[in-house]
Amino acid sequence: MKQLHIVLIPAMAQGHMIPMLEMAKLFTSRGIKTTIIATPAFAGPVTKSRQSGHDIGLSVTDFPPKGSSLPDHVASFDQISTPDLVTKFLRAMELLQGPVETILQELQPNCVVSDMFLPWTADSAAKFGIPRLVFFGSSCFSRCLSEEMELQKPYKNVSSDSEPFVLGGLPHELNFVRSQLPPFHLQEEENDFKKLFSQISESAKNTYGEVVNSFYELESAYLDHFKNVLGKKAWQIGPLLLCSNEAERKSQRGKESAIDEHECLAWLDSKRPNSVVYVCFGSSATFTKAQLHETAAGLEESGQDFIWVVRKGKDQENELDLLPQGFEERVKGKGLIIRGWAPQLMILDHPAIGAFVTHSGWNSTLEGICAGVPMITWPVFAEQFYNEKLVTEVLETGVSVGNKRWMRVASEGVGRDAVVEAVEQIMLGGGAAEMRRRAKYYKEMARKAIEEGGSSYNSLNALMEELSTYVHPTKHNIN
């Protein structure tokens, strides 16, 4: 088999860059030549990986690009706080097409793996006669749900945001309310995100297939539905986070930690097995001050030991003012507050962790699955309300805190009683032991999937085989 050269093009957001870099590591470990096209703000992790011995190529292109009206200091989607910046950021991503095609012209790869938020890469790949694989960075379960939601539009049959409806035609019967769906999908009039998702949908016609950061044993019924019912080509090659070695995984995933890792470990070592609740909402979710106060009250009233990663919202100046007065003094010894980036994998893998309160972003959900930890789901936006259903109703490895409102920023509305109830249910409830047993089972399945002969290992083999014999349709027609 000839050596393949795959170019990966991530979007400018931590949650999108991290799995794309892990994918590059996986590809290189299997003999594929890889190059990542990154912007300056996201080149650092690639450089660090190269220094650690991963033979990953790097091409850097300016962002914001020439001709963009985006302020120079805005380098990542995590920094977006206002609607006008959303418009400028999306336009700036479109303007990357020219610089990226110049790089592709120079590299002449066999294949492009593109983030979903860069739909123009379908045209770029076609220009060079190479296949484009798209990476949504989400579960196959959520891909099935979003496709079926778009096809069926069951939310049109209810009279209010709180009236439940069933999303049918799937392996499980799943109930939703309209307030859990992205507002821009529900609006009739055109808007930036609606336009983007329309372009994403259109680009699928010119896309070879999808690579999925998941494994067959986790969501087999939905991988089958995706391929056989929805007619999509997809290869599950995850969990990608297990493709880095353990030391790298625990120390390098994302940004520098905001806490001394030895201090964090010493604190955890002093706790009993399965006794600590870990609370973290990823790099993009933000909450109002009122919600942070309710969360604090709930954690305190639950009586459980906890680690809570607190980040200020876009409109909150001083992160020291976010928590109730005297809270940290009252919970000293029982609660550890981390302000900023936490060494999440190291924490989740510690035997003291008994539950993970998560926003249900797919990266974090997979981290919980690979650590074998039951989850309290607290989705806030994106496809997180879908991932919640996978954890709580399909895998049955978690419970919901009960948030029903999709909010891009400044999420609120979950009371302290709901926090206490969810914590007690997962730590002390009658079904807690069974939930823990199931969580440990999927952890084991995840490890087996990426080993030689495992489902994800074989799936990547099949993809490499297809790519090595690929002939572009137009080239084929000419011959």
Short mmCIF file of all heavy atoms in Angstrom, two decimals, residues 390-436:
data_model
loop_
_atom_site.label_atom_id
_atom_site.label_comp_id
_atom_site.label_asym_id
_atom_site.label_seq_id
_atom_site.Cartn_x
_atom_site.Cartn_y
_atom_site.Cartn_z
N LEU A 390 -27.78 10.03 25.17
CA LEU A 390 -26.95 8.84 25.01
C LEU A 390 -26.50 8.33 26.37
O LEU A 390 -26.62 7.13 26.68
CB LEU A 390 -25.73 9.16 24.13
CG LEU A 390 -24.72 8.01 23.97
CD1 LEU A 390 -25.31 6.84 23.19
CD2 LEU A 390 -23.45 8.51 23.27
N VAL A 391 -26.01 9.22 27.21
CA VAL A 391 -25.49 8.84 28.53
C VAL A 391 -26.59 8.36 29.46
O VAL A 391 -26.47 7.32 30.10
CB VAL A 391 -24.72 10.03 29.17
CG1 VAL A 391 -24.38 9.76 30.64
CG2 VAL A 391 -23.44 10.32 28.38
N THR A 392 -27.69 9.13 29.54
CA THR A 392 -28.71 8.83 30.56
C THR A 392 -29.71 7.76 30.14
O THR A 392 -30.19 6.99 30.98
CB THR A 392 -29.48 10.11 30.94
OG1 THR A 392 -30.12 10.64 29.78
CG2 THR A 392 -28.55 11.15 31.53
N GLU A 393 -30.04 7.67 28.83
CA GLU A 393 -31.11 6.76 28.40
C GLU A 393 -30.65 5.56 27.60
O GLU A 393 -31.32 4.53 27.60
CB GLU A 393 -32.16 7.55 27.59
CG GLU A 393 -32.86 8.62 28.44
CD GLU A 393 -33.97 9.34 27.69
OE1 GLU A 393 -34.59 8.74 26.79
OE2 GLU A 393 -34.20 10.53 28.01
N VAL A 394 -29.50 5.67 26.91
CA VAL A 394 -29.03 4.55 26.10
C VAL A 394 -27.95 3.77 26.85
O VAL A 394 -28.08 2.57 27.09
CB VAL A 394 -28.51 5.03 24.73
CG1 VAL A 394 -27.96 3.85 23.92
CG2 VAL A 394 -29.64 5.71 23.95
N LEU A 395 -26.89 4.45 27.26
CA LEU A 395 -25.82 3.77 28.00
C LEU A 395 -26.21 3.53 29.46
O LEU A 395 -25.72 2.59 30.09
CB LEU A 395 -24.53 4.61 27.97
CG LEU A 395 -23.98 4.99 26.59
CD1 LEU A 395 -22.75 5.87 26.73
CD2 LEU A 395 -23.66 3.74 25.77
N GLU A 396 -27.08 4.39 29.98
CA GLU A 396 -27.52 4.33 31.39
C GLU A 396 -26.32 4.40 32.35
O GLU A 396 -26.20 3.62 33.30
CB GLU A 396 -28.36 3.07 31.65
CG GLU A 396 -29.67 3.09 30.85
CD GLU A 396 -30.48 1.81 31.04
OE1 GLU A 396 -30.04 0.91 31.78
OE2 GLU A 396 -31.55 1.70 30.44
N THR A 397 -25.45 5.36 32.06
CA THR A 397 -24.27 5.57 32.92
C THR A 397 -24.31 6.96 33.56
O THR A 397 -23.27 7.48 33.97
CB THR A 397 -22.97 5.43 32.11
OG1 THR A 397 -23.01 6.36 31.00
CG2 THR A 397 -22.78 4.03 31.57
N GLY A 398 -25.50 7.57 33.62
CA GLY A 398 -25.56 8.89 34.22
C GLY A 398 -26.99 9.33 34.48
O GLY A 398 -27.95 8.66 34.09
N VAL A 399 -27.10 10.50 35.14
CA VAL A 399 -28.41 11.10 35.40
C VAL A 399 -28.37 12.56 34.95
O VAL A 399 -27.31 13.18 34.91
CB VAL A 399 -28.79 11.04 36.90
CG1 VAL A 399 -28.88 9.60 37.37
CG2 VAL A 399 -27.79 11.81 37.76
N SER A 400 -29.54 13.10 34.63
CA SER A 400 -29.62 14.48 34.17
C SER A 400 -29.88 15.43 35.33
O SER A 400 -30.64 15.10 36.24
CB SER A 400 -30.76 14.62 33.15
OG SER A 400 -30.99 15.98 32.85
N VAL A 401 -29.27 16.61 35.28
CA VAL A 401 -29.54 17.63 36.30
C VAL A 401 -30.86 18.34 35.99
O VAL A 401 -31.42 19.03 36.83
CB VAL A 401 -28.36 18.62 36.41
CG1 VAL A 401 -28.42 19.67 35.30
CG2 VAL A 401 -28.31 19.30 37.77
N GLY A 402 -31.32 18.18 34.73
CA GLY A 402 -32.65 18.70 34.39
C GLY A 402 -32.67 20.00 33.60
O GLY A 402 -33.74 20.58 33.40
N ASN A 403 -31.51 20.47 33.12
CA ASN A 403 -31.54 21.69 32.31
C ASN A 403 -32.25 21.43 30.99
O ASN A 403 -31.98 20.44 30.32
CB ASN A 403 -30.13 22.21 32.03
CG ASN A 403 -30.16 23.57 31.34
OD1 ASN A 403 -31.01 24.40 31.64
ND2 ASN A 403 -29.26 23.80 30.41
N LYS A 404 -33.17 22.32 30.61
CA LYS A 404 -33.95 22.11 29.39
C LYS A 404 -33.81 23.29 28.42
O LYS A 404 -34.55 23.39 27.46
CB LYS A 404 -35.44 21.95 29.73
CG LYS A 404 -35.78 20.69 30.52
CD LYS A 404 -35.97 19.51 29.59
CE LYS A 404 -36.64 18.33 30.27
NZ LYS A 404 -35.82 17.65 31.24
N ARG A 405 -32.85 24.18 28.70
CA ARG A 405 -32.80 25.41 27.90
C ARG A 405 -31.46 25.57 27.19
O ARG A 405 -30.41 25.67 27.83
CB ARG A 405 -33.06 26.61 28.81
CG ARG A 405 -33.36 27.87 28.04
CD ARG A 405 -33.94 28.93 28.95
NE ARG A 405 -33.97 30.22 28.27
CZ ARG A 405 -33.65 31.36 28.84
NH1 ARG A 405 -33.28 31.40 30.10
NH2 ARG A 405 -33.70 32.49 28.17
N TRP A 406 -31.50 25.58 25.87
CA TRP A 406 -30.31 25.76 25.03
C TRP A 406 -29.89 27.23 25.11
O TRP A 406 -30.63 28.12 24.75
CB TRP A 406 -30.69 25.40 23.59
CG TRP A 406 -29.58 25.13 22.62
CD1 TRP A 406 -29.18 23.91 22.17
CD2 TRP A 406 -28.75 26.09 21.92
NE1 TRP A 406 -28.16 24.04 21.25
CE2 TRP A 406 -27.88 25.37 21.09
CE3 TRP A 406 -28.65 27.48 21.94
CZ2 TRP A 406 -26.92 25.99 20.26
CZ3 TRP A 406 -27.71 28.11 21.12
CH2 TRP A 406 -26.86 27.37 20.31
N MET A 407 -28.66 27.48 25.62
CA MET A 407 -28.16 28.85 25.77
C MET A 407 -26.70 28.90 25.36
O MET A 407 -25.86 28.24 25.98
CB MET A 407 -28.27 29.31 27.23
CG MET A 407 -29.68 29.59 27.71
SD MET A 407 -30.35 31.12 27.06
CE MET A 407 -29.47 32.33 28.04
N ARG A 408 -26.40 29.67 24.33
CA ARG A 408 -25.01 29.77 23.85
C ARG A 408 -24.10 30.41 24.91
O ARG A 408 -22.97 30.00 25.10
CB ARG A 408 -25.01 30.59 22.55
CG ARG A 408 -23.65 30.99 22.02
CD ARG A 408 -22.91 29.84 21.36
NE ARG A 408 -21.58 30.27 20.97
CZ ARG A 408 -20.51 30.25 21.74
NH1 ARG A 408 -20.60 29.81 22.98
NH2 ARG A 408 -19.35 30.66 21.32
N VAL A 409 -24.59 31.44 25.59
CA VAL A 409 -23.83 32.07 26.69
C VAL A 409 -24.77 32.35 27.86
O VAL A 409 -25.99 32.38 27.70
CB VAL A 409 -23.16 33.40 26.25
CG1 VAL A 409 -22.04 33.16 25.26
CG2 VAL A 409 -24.17 34.37 25.67
N ALA A 410 -24.17 32.58 29.03
CA ALA A 410 -24.91 32.98 30.23
C ALA A 410 -26.08 32.04 30.55
O ALA A 410 -27.22 32.46 30.75
CB ALA A 410 -25.41 34.41 30.09
N SER A 411 -25.79 30.75 30.61
CA SER A 411 -26.83 29.76 30.93
C SER A 411 -27.25 29.90 32.39
O SER A 411 -26.45 30.22 33.26
CB SER A 411 -26.28 28.36 30.68
OG SER A 411 -27.27 27.39 30.90
N GLU A 412 -28.55 29.65 32.64
CA GLU A 412 -29.06 29.67 34.02
C GLU A 412 -30.37 28.90 34.09
O GLU A 412 -30.88 28.45 33.07
CB GLU A 412 -29.27 31.12 34.49
CG GLU A 412 -30.28 31.90 33.70
CD GLU A 412 -30.42 33.34 34.19
OE1 GLU A 412 -29.72 33.73 35.14
OE2 GLU A 412 -31.25 34.07 33.62
N GLY A 413 -30.88 28.74 35.30
CA GLY A 413 -32.20 28.12 35.45
C GLY A 413 -32.21 26.79 36.19
O GLY A 413 -33.26 26.20 36.39
N VAL A 414 -31.05 26.29 36.60
CA VAL A 414 -31.00 25.03 37.37
C VAL A 414 -30.85 25.38 38.85
O VAL A 414 -29.85 25.98 39.27
CB VAL A 414 -29.84 24.12 36.91
CG1 VAL A 414 -29.75 22.88 37.79
CG2 VAL A 414 -30.02 23.73 35.45
N GLY A 415 -31.84 25.01 39.65
CA GLY A 415 -31.82 25.36 41.08
C GLY A 415 -30.93 24.45 41.90
O GLY A 415 -30.58 23.34 41.48
N ARG A 416 -30.62 24.89 43.11
CA ARG A 416 -29.74 24.11 44.01
C ARG A 416 -30.33 22.75 44.34
O ARG A 416 -29.59 21.77 44.50
CB ARG A 416 -29.46 24.91 45.28
CG ARG A 416 -30.68 25.20 46.15
CD ARG A 416 -30.36 26.16 47.27
NE ARG A 416 -30.11 27.52 46.76
CZ ARG A 416 -29.66 28.53 47.50
NH1 ARG A 416 -29.40 28.33 48.78
NH2 ARG A 416 -29.47 29.70 46.98
N ASP A 417 -31.66 22.68 44.46
CA ASP A 417 -32.30 21.40 44.80
C ASP A 417 -32.05 20.35 43.72
O ASP A 417 -31.85 19.16 44.03
CB ASP A 417 -33.81 21.58 44.99
CG ASP A 417 -34.14 22.42 46.22
OD1 ASP A 417 -33.21 22.65 47.02
OD2 ASP A 417 -35.30 22.85 46.36
N ALA A 418 -32.06 20.79 42.45
CA ALA A 418 -31.80 19.87 41.34
C ALA A 418 -30.37 19.36 41.39
O ALA A 418 -30.10 18.18 41.09
CB ALA A 418 -32.06 20.58 40.00
N VAL A 419 -29.44 20.22 41.79
CA VAL A 419 -28.03 19.83 41.91
C VAL A 419 -27.89 18.79 43.03
O VAL A 419 -27.28 17.73 42.84
CB VAL A 419 -27.13 21.06 42.19
CG1 VAL A 419 -25.68 20.62 42.42
CG2 VAL A 419 -27.22 22.06 41.04
N VAL A 420 -28.49 19.08 44.18
CA VAL A 420 -28.43 18.15 45.32
C VAL A 420 -29.01 16.79 44.93
O VAL A 420 -28.41 15.73 45.19
CB VAL A 420 -29.19 18.72 46.55
CG1 VAL A 420 -29.27 17.69 47.67
CG2 VAL A 420 -28.53 19.99 47.05
N GLU A 421 -30.17 16.82 44.29
CA GLU A 421 -30.86 15.58 43.93
C GLU A 421 -30.02 14.72 42.98
O GLU A 421 -29.89 13.51 43.16
CB GLU A 421 -32.21 15.92 43.27
CG GLU A 421 -33.08 14.70 43.04
CD GLU A 421 -34.40 15.04 42.36
OE1 GLU A 421 -34.87 16.19 42.48
OE2 GLU A 421 -34.95 14.16 41.69
N ALA A 422 -29.43 15.37 41.95
CA ALA A 422 -28.62 14.62 40.97
C ALA A 422 -27.38 14.03 41.63
O ALA A 422 -27.01 12.87 41.40
CB ALA A 422 -28.24 15.53 39.81
N VAL A 423 -26.73 14.82 42.49
CA VAL A 423 -25.52 14.35 43.18
C VAL A 423 -25.86 13.17 44.09
O VAL A 423 -25.16 12.14 44.09
CB VAL A 423 -24.85 15.50 43.98
CG1 VAL A 423 -23.76 14.95 44.92
CG2 VAL A 423 -24.24 16.53 43.04
N GLU A 424 -26.94 13.29 44.85
CA GLU A 424 -27.33 12.20 45.76
C GLU A 424 -27.69 10.93 44.99
O GLU A 424 -27.33 9.82 45.39
CB GLU A 424 -28.49 12.65 46.65
CG GLU A 424 -28.05 13.64 47.73
CD GLU A 424 -29.20 14.08 48.63
OE1 GLU A 424 -30.38 13.81 48.28
OE2 GLU A 424 -28.92 14.71 49.68
N GLN A 425 -28.38 11.12 43.87
CA GLN A 425 -28.81 9.97 43.07
C GLN A 425 -27.62 9.18 42.52
O GLN A 425 -27.59 7.95 42.56
CB GLN A 425 -29.68 10.46 41.91
CG GLN A 425 -30.44 9.34 41.21
CD GLN A 425 -31.30 9.88 40.06
OE1 GLN A 425 -31.60 11.07 39.99
NE2 GLN A 425 -31.67 9.01 39.15
N ILE A 426 -26.59 9.91 42.04
CA ILE A 426 -25.46 9.23 41.40
C ILE A 426 -24.44 8.70 42.42
O ILE A 426 -23.76 7.72 42.17
CB ILE A 426 -24.79 10.17 40.37
CG1 ILE A 426 -24.13 9.34 39.26
CG2 ILE A 426 -23.80 11.13 41.00
CD1 ILE A 426 -23.86 10.11 37.99
N MET A 427 -24.38 9.34 43.60
CA MET A 427 -23.40 8.93 44.61
C MET A 427 -23.98 7.93 45.62
O MET A 427 -23.29 7.04 46.08
CB MET A 427 -22.87 10.16 45.36
CG MET A 427 -22.15 11.16 44.49
SD MET A 427 -20.63 10.53 43.75
CE MET A 427 -19.47 10.77 45.10
N LEU A 428 -25.27 8.09 45.92
CA LEU A 428 -25.85 7.31 47.02
C LEU A 428 -27.11 6.54 46.64
O LEU A 428 -27.61 5.73 47.43
CB LEU A 428 -26.20 8.25 48.20
CG LEU A 428 -25.12 9.25 48.64
CD1 LEU A 428 -25.71 10.31 49.54
CD2 LEU A 428 -24.00 8.51 49.36
N GLY A 429 -27.65 6.81 45.45
CA GLY A 429 -28.94 6.23 45.05
C GLY A 429 -28.90 4.72 44.86
O GLY A 429 -27.83 4.11 44.75
N GLY A 430 -30.10 4.14 44.78
CA GLY A 430 -30.22 2.69 44.64
C GLY A 430 -29.59 2.15 43.37
O GLY A 430 -29.10 1.02 43.33
N GLY A 431 -29.58 2.96 42.30
CA GLY A 431 -29.02 2.48 41.03
C GLY A 431 -27.56 2.85 40.84
O GLY A 431 -26.98 2.58 39.77
N ALA A 432 -26.93 3.44 41.85
CA ALA A 432 -25.56 3.95 41.70
C ALA A 432 -24.56 2.84 41.38
O ALA A 432 -23.69 3.00 40.51
CB ALA A 432 -25.14 4.69 42.97
N ALA A 433 -24.69 1.70 42.05
CA ALA A 433 -23.73 0.60 41.84
C ALA A 433 -23.83 0.06 40.42
O ALA A 433 -22.81 -0.22 39.77
CB ALA A 433 -23.99 -0.52 42.86
N GLU A 434 -25.06 -0.09 39.93
CA GLU A 434 -25.25 -0.60 38.56
C GLU A 434 -24.71 0.41 37.53
O GLU A 434 -24.09 0.02 36.53
CB GLU A 434 -26.74 -0.88 38.32
CG GLU A 434 -27.11 -1.25 36.88
CD GLU A 434 -26.41 -2.50 36.36
OE1 GLU A 434 -25.82 -3.27 37.15
OE2 GLU A 434 -26.44 -2.71 35.13
N MET A 435 -24.94 1.69 37.77
CA MET A 435 -24.42 2.74 36.89
C MET A 435 -22.89 2.67 36.82
O MET A 435 -22.29 2.78 35.76
CB MET A 435 -24.85 4.11 37.42
CG MET A 435 -25.46 5.02 36.39
SD MET A 435 -25.92 6.59 37.14
CE MET A 435 -27.42 6.17 37.97
N ARG A 436 -22.29 2.47 37.97
CA ARG A 436 -20.82 2.39 38.05
C ARG A 436 -20.31 1.15 37.31
O ARG A 436 -19.30 1.20 36.62
CB ARG A 436 -20.40 2.35 39.53
CG ARG A 436 -18.98 2.78 39.80
CD ARG A 436 -18.73 3.01 41.28
NE ARG A 436 -19.60 4.01 41.88
CZ ARG A 436 -19.52 5.31 41.67
NH1 ARG A 436 -18.59 5.78 40.86
NH2 ARG A 436 -20.35 6.15 42.25
#
